[in-house]
Amino acid sequence: ASSPIETTSATVTRAGDTITLATTLFAHSETAGTLLVKSIVYGAATYGSDRLVEFNDGTANERIFIYATSVSTGNALVTDGAVTQATVAASSTNAFTVGTAFKIGASWAANSFRIALNGTAGTEDTAGTLPTITSLRFGSGAGSVFSSQYMQHLVHLPRQMSQAELNTWTTL
């Protein structure tokens, strides 16, 4: 379901529904963090990735986001100063099924970026800086990348979870 569009006889183009929350409204750390998501993605990733959740500054130059890939795994990407600082990939041996709940988590601090999908650790990136972010977006990014998902649960922590914690939390 989506928000209604009131029309008469004219055709109206729907803009993507976006939900954005300023980081000043909740406990947030500029030096470390964790995002944990339980979601169901409906259909193949539209642009090669379905954006689940994203921190950004309103642009694609400063952001941290988790996305579902077209091969039913997940990744997290960190961009600072318009330069990709880290890309961490979930294990492809533990892919999720479209239309079925899965759990994914990513945590970060400078020079330490982690991910886990359904209880299995992915790659870790040990080099990179952190962006300056001002908002949290649900189901979309700073650009026009949206998600066809049902987010069942979202947790944000203003600290970096260990890999063992990520693995435990994302176990179904």
Side-chain angles (χ1 to χ4, degrees):
S2 61
S3 57
I5 297 179
E6 299 290 332
T7 64
T8 56
S9 59
T11 302
V12 177
T13 302
R14 173 180 293 285
D17 289 331
T18 60
I19 302 170
T20 304
L21 183 64
T23 56
T24 57
L25 299 175
F26 55 92
H28 175 70
S29 170
E30 289 293 329
T31 60
T34 300
L35 281 172
L36 304 163
V37 179
K38 181 177 180 186
S39 184
I40 299 173
V41 172
Y42 294 99
T46 309
Y47 301 99
S49 67
D50 266 5
R51 197 69 40 92
L52 301 175
V53 63
E54 175 174 308
F55 276 113
N56 65 39
D57 69 345
T59 74
N61 296 332
E62 303 283 320
R63 62 188 179 168
I64 299 170
F65 65 89
I66 298 175
Y67 61 99
T69 69
S70 60
V71 292
S72 300
T73 63
N75 290 351
L77 186 124
V78 178
T79 303
D80 184 23
V83 176
T84 299
Q85 297 294 315
T87 302
V88 289
S91 172
S92 61
T93 61
N94 203 17
F96 61 85
T97 302
V98 171
T100 303
F102 65 95
K103 288 183 177 180
I104 188 167
S107 65
W108 60 88
N111 301 316
S112 179
F113 305 90
R114 303 177 181 131
I115 194 166
L117 173 66
N118 292 336
T120 301
T123 61
E124 182 176 2
D125 193 323
T126 58
T129 59
L130 295 175
T132 301
I133 52 180
T134 57
S135 61
L136 175 61
R137 296 175 65 113
F138 302 89
S140 69
S144 59
V145 178
F146 295 92
S147 177
S148 57
Q149 69 162 325
Y150 169 65
M151 186 181 297
Q152 295 179 316
H153 196 85
L154 172 72
V155 174
H156 164 260
L157 299 174
R159 69 171 182 87
Q160 183 183 37
M161 273 190 166
S162 69
Q163 189 65 60
E165 289 175 302
L166 282 173
N167 295 350
T168 298
W169 190 90
T170 61
T171 300
L172 284 172

